[in-house]
Amino acid sequence: MKRGKKYQEAIKKIDRTKVYTVDEAVALVKELAFAKFPETVEVSVKLNLKKSQSVRDTVVLPNQFSAQKKILVFAKGDKAKEAEEAGAAYVGDNDLIEKIRGGWLDFDIAVATPDMMKDVGRLGPILGRRGLMPNPKTHTVTNDIKEALAELNKGRTEFRSDKTGVVHLAVGKVNMDAAQIAENTRVTIDEIVRKRPSDSKGDFVVSVALSSTMGPGVHVDVKDLLAVASN
């Protein structure tokens, strides 16, 4: 793919013979951003995973940068009332299921109580491919609705490895303070490492890169990042 002039100018400023500390990488990513909008900063983490292995969980980043999301809760009775009091944008059971089956999808996150999952499961073809299906692994199937919504409103975000063993996650905006982006990056790496499969062998984190929406990737020193993240 042919890159534009600004991208080519940006990539010349990266020393391809070295890897950067996370603080150096963040500073460089901020410097190289050239779009007229506040570009998102993304971390890409290549993991040493077998084909049968995957990594999936959620993380609450200490420094938020995204707008509050619309949360839908599938629940009945007291749990529905709990969801309403906790600030859910939409609360219901079969009425919401039918609405979604009719094509309505005006929400960002779906949460469900365990007793609702038998019915919610019918929405698999609709919610699954959009990454909206409630799942115990992402703490979106729970009876503790109040706690779940509190965490989601703080910015709890899902991460998962793709088919190539790479986790991609937004960790900030280029107009944020560099220290905040670096802290979000370290917390992300720490959480990913916590989800290392028990039968994983060798170095788990193969490589880490930071980039902005339009900019080139900057390779981060994995040893430095892991040492800081584990402290």
Side-chain angles (χ1 to χ4, degrees):
M1 184 175 70
K2 189 175 181 180
R3 300 286 190 172
K5 183 179 179 181
K6 289 183 178 179
Y7 180 94
Q8 296 297 340
E9 290 174 353
I11 204 167
K12 289 178 183 178
K13 297 180 181 179
I14 300 174
D15 184 348
R16 293 298 181 186
T17 66
K18 68 172 285 187
V19 287
Y20 296 82
T21 67
V22 64
D23 295 309
E24 292 171 338
V26 169
L28 191 53
V29 167
K30 283 170 64 69
E31 178 188 340
L32 299 181
F34 55 81
K36 294 181 180 180
F37 60 89
E39 297 179 47
T40 297
V41 179
E42 182 180 270
V43 64
S44 298
V45 187
K46 173 65 176 176
L47 301 176
N48 179 18
L49 294 171
K50 300 175 184 175
K51 286 186 178 181
S52 60
Q53 296 172 328
S54 65
V55 167
R56 181 181 184 183
D57 207 324
T58 60
V59 60
V60 177
L61 299 178
N63 305 292
Q64 288 305 303
F65 54 92
S66 57
Q68 189 168 9
K69 298 182 182 297
K70 295 179 186 175
I71 304 174
L72 176 149
V73 178
F74 295 105
K76 298 178 179 179
D78 291 342
K79 288 300 174 182
K81 184 178 180 181
E82 182 181 334
E84 290 171 355
E85 292 175 348
Y90 308 103
V91 182
D93 45 78
N94 290 328
D95 57 329
L96 286 181
I97 291 173
E98 290 307 313
K99 194 172 181 180
I100 291 169
R101 291 179 75 179
W104 177 80
L105 289 165
D106 186 25
F107 57 94
D108 303 299
I109 303 171
V111 176
T113 53
D115 64 302
M116 285 297 304
M117 285 307 295
K118 182 178 179 180
D119 295 324
V120 174
R122 303 202 309 266
L123 299 174
I126 300 171
L127 299 183
R129 63 172 171 260
R130 292 173 174 81
L132 293 171
M133 177 61 75
N135 190 304
K137 290 184 178 180
T138 59
H139 312 288
T140 49
V141 175
T142 177
N143 273 316
D144 194 346
I145 297 297
K146 183 179 179 180
E147 176 65 19
L149 265 64
E151 290 290 300
L152 290 167
N153 283 323
K154 285 180 187 175
R156 179 172 286 281
T157 306
E158 180 183 357
F159 63 82
R160 64 193 303 176
S161 54
D162 62 19
K163 293 179 180 179
T164 65
V166 178
V167 174
H168 301 280
L169 190 71
V171 292
K173 295 281 188 180
V174 294
N175 58 354
M176 287 173 62
D177 184 77
Q180 292 181 318
I181 302 173
E183 183 181 14
N184 282 354
T185 303
R186 293 185 182 105
V187 168
T188 298
I189 298 300
D190 204 27
E191 287 300 316
I192 291 173
V193 170
R194 288 177 191 274
K195 299 306 296 182
R196 175 175 181 152
S198 59
D199 58 344
S200 173
K201 297 180 181 180
D203 292 334
F204 182 52
V205 179
V206 178
S207 64
V208 177
L210 283 170
S211 62
S212 63
T213 305
M214 306 294 289
V218 178
H219 289 286
V220 181
D221 186 337
V222 174
K223 290 183 179 179
D224 173 76
L225 186 54
L226 292 177
V228 176
S230 61
N231 290 334

